[in-house]
Amino acid sequence: MHRFHRLTVIALAAALACPSPSFAAGPGVPAAANAQALPTAQDGYFQRIERVADGVWLIAQPQPFHIQPIGNVVVVEQEDGLVLVDAGGSPGAGRRIVELVRSVSDKPVKAVAITHWHGDHALGLSAIAQAWPQVEVIATDTTASHLRGRSMKAYPKGVPDATQQAAFDQRLEGLDTFLRDTLARPDLSVADRRGFEASQRLLNQYRLDTRDLYLVLPTRTFGERLLLDDPRRPVELRHPGRANTDGDLVAWLPKQRVIATGDLLVAPIPFGFNAYPADWLRSLQSVKALQPAVWIPGHGPAMRDDGYADRVIALISHTRDAVAPLAARKVGVDQAKKDIDLSADRKRFVGEDAWLTRWFDRYWTQPFTDAAYREATGQPIEQGEG
Ligand SMILES: [Zn+2]
């Protein structure tokens, strides 16, 4: 139905998460002071590169959940260069990636595989391509068409653009206002205040990092499978089917048995926006059938067993099962979002953590109920705008 900008979705999710609709900004809010504050080591900016297997590294946000997420970056060393899976969410994050990659290898980055079209996985490409101009950018055909087309139409391609940059900055202004208004609320819990303050610091960094923003388009695309061969660390890029988006890519290292899943897996809270419930289930099961020893999700830490994947498989399944009878009874989708009870699953993901509980509802229950309802009633599920 409506086409949402992803940033808007995230801001909207944040706005909906407010405990009451009152946005009264208190006097004496140190807005200028807050605007100066930049992330601490715990706030989720890329800080370090971690070895997950021989010749395989992960760059991940240090904190488990962020309003402004940055997708994980996987680095694989091959004989004649490095292969990256995803590129970070901004030119600034891309510059951090370049530094961190150089701290573990002298080889050039020869290819970056983009798991899906969302900006938090693709918008660091510009800095990576500046550092290694020969780099190949690889995506599935479907993801490439989203990057070239409507989904990312708000972003400059190949070079910065002042008008589009101004429009982008304007959208961030809205998020900034929301965070300031939220932090001005006297009734905010300690946990929420801490979470929103960290979000604000991260947003400040994001504003700096997204200057001179532009998207680098794929130079090589594929439909089902593309092998980046290597004697020690071959990388199989696969489209497992639709899942979190319609063009998802996973990267499989058969010798190391490492899988980089993109947003098929996101921890600690999966993202349910504009997803394809039944296909996601099938795709995740087909990835599990590879029997990975290490799962690297699109967000969150590397995992050494199937436990989290199983939990997500169960969650998708339970959510579909809970939505189907509501859709069959022709309960409206808004009512279905109110009626649905995923509290048992939610507890398995976030325990009693109030901050995470809030975001589980906004990033999973609400959007995925929408997707499952569409599926159950035969309505199309379309990708949004970044
Ligand atoms: Zn993501």
Side-chain angles (χ1 to χ4, degrees):
M1 134 189 126
H2 298 295
R3 292 161 177 177
F4 289 118
H5 280 282
R6 229 174 105 76
L7 267 176
T8 315
V9 167
I10 290 180
L12 193 67
L16 290 171
C18 261
S20 95
S22 140
F23 277 82
V29 181
N34 285 341
Q36 305 295 321
L38 292 174
T40 67
Q42 282 73 46
D43 283 349
Y45 194 55
F46 282 160
Q47 312 277 342
R48 63 195 193 95
I49 184 161
E50 171 206 354
R51 183 185 170 283
V52 291
D54 173 48
V56 184
W57 295 268
L58 168 62
I59 302 171
Q61 285 182 289
Q63 206 181 261
F65 180 79
H66 309 280
I67 295 181
Q68 190 66 57
I70 308 174
N72 283 347
V73 179
V74 182
V75 181
V76 182
E77 184 178 345
Q78 293 193 331
E79 214 162 57
D80 59 343
L82 306 172
V83 175
L84 266 50
V85 182
D86 282 336
S90 63
R95 287 189 291 273
R96 289 289 288 147
I97 292 165
V98 171
E99 270 177 47
L100 291 166
V101 166
R102 284 181 170 152
S103 75
V104 297
S105 175
D106 295 331
K107 293 183 184 178
V109 172
K110 60 172 184 171
V112 182
I114 298 297
T115 58
H116 59 297
W117 63 267
H118 294 162
D120 58 314
H121 298 258
L123 288 168
L125 274 171
S126 58
I128 294 167
Q130 281 166 22
W132 295 287
Q134 306 302 319
V135 70
E136 259 192 318
V137 177
I138 305 173
T140 63
D141 296 325
T142 306
T143 291
S145 75
H146 288 307
L147 291 170
R148 293 191 187 106
R150 173 179 64 74
S151 291
M152 293 299 267
K153 75 170 195 288
Y155 294 88
K157 311 294 187 311
V159 285
D161 174 277
T163 308
Q164 286 186 309
Q165 181 77 42
F168 178 86
D169 292 345
Q170 195 61 46
R171 283 158 64 200
L172 292 190
E173 237 16 88
L175 256 180
D176 186 60
T177 303
F178 161 72
L179 288 172
R180 265 189 231 173
D181 289 349
T182 303
L183 284 166
R185 297 167 54 94
D187 58 338
L188 214 56
S189 72
V190 172
D192 283 349
R193 183 164 301 280
R194 203 186 305 127
F196 282 116
E197 280 173 353
S199 303
Q200 192 177 48
R201 290 191 295 272
L202 202 59
L203 179 63
N204 292 339
Q205 181 70 56
Y206 187 67
R207 284 149 73 105
L208 299 174
D209 284 347
T210 48
R211 288 180 182 164
D212 297 326
L213 190 66
Y214 66 92
L215 189 59
V216 177
L217 293 173
T219 56
R220 190 174 177 190
T221 68
F222 67 96
E224 296 295 317
R225 186 172 173 274
L226 177 69
L227 177 65
L228 305 177
D229 209 1
D230 183 74
R232 291 179 66 189
R233 293 181 202 93
V235 177
E236 286 179 32
L237 303 176
R238 299 178 175 213
H239 171 51
R242 302 192 302 183
N244 186 254
T245 72
D246 53 1
D248 294 300
L249 171 156
V250 299
W252 170 236
L253 279 65
K255 295 200 177 177
Q256 287 70 30
R257 311 203 69 75
V258 172
I259 187 86
T261 66
D263 284 1
L264 265 66
L265 281 190
V266 167
I269 298 168
F271 297 162
F273 298 97
N274 304 322
Y276 300 88
D279 294 322
W280 192 347
L281 211 47
R282 265 194 298 276
S283 299
L284 204 45
Q285 271 154 345
S286 78
V287 169
K288 190 185 164 188
L290 296 168
Q291 300 183 300
V294 183
W295 296 75
I296 304 179
H299 302 258
M303 302 157 184
R304 299 195 180 264
D305 60 54
D306 295 350
Y308 190 78
D310 285 339
R311 220 185 297 162
V312 172
I313 287 170
L315 176 66
I316 294 171
S317 202
H318 294 164
T319 312
R320 291 182 73 226
D321 292 349
V323 170
L326 297 171
R329 290 201 337 254
K330 307 227 181 309
V331 168
V333 65
D334 292 332
Q335 192 59 43
K337 288 179 185 179
K338 290 192 186 107
D339 291 352
I340 192 160
D341 177 12
L342 295 176
S343 52
D345 282 279
R346 188 179 65 203
K347 213 149 242 154
R348 283 194 278 279
F349 279 84
V350 303
E352 303 295 334
D353 186 311
W355 175 250
L356 293 182
T357 296
R358 161 198 288 273
W359 296 110
F360 184 91
D361 285 340
R362 303 307 161 190
Y363 279 64
W364 182 262
T365 309
Q366 301 298 318
F368 199 80
T369 296
D370 190 78
Y373 192 94
R374 284 172 174 277
E375 187 177 72
T377 53
Q379 300 174 69
I381 297 166
E382 286 177 39
Q383 295 301 292
E385 292 180 26

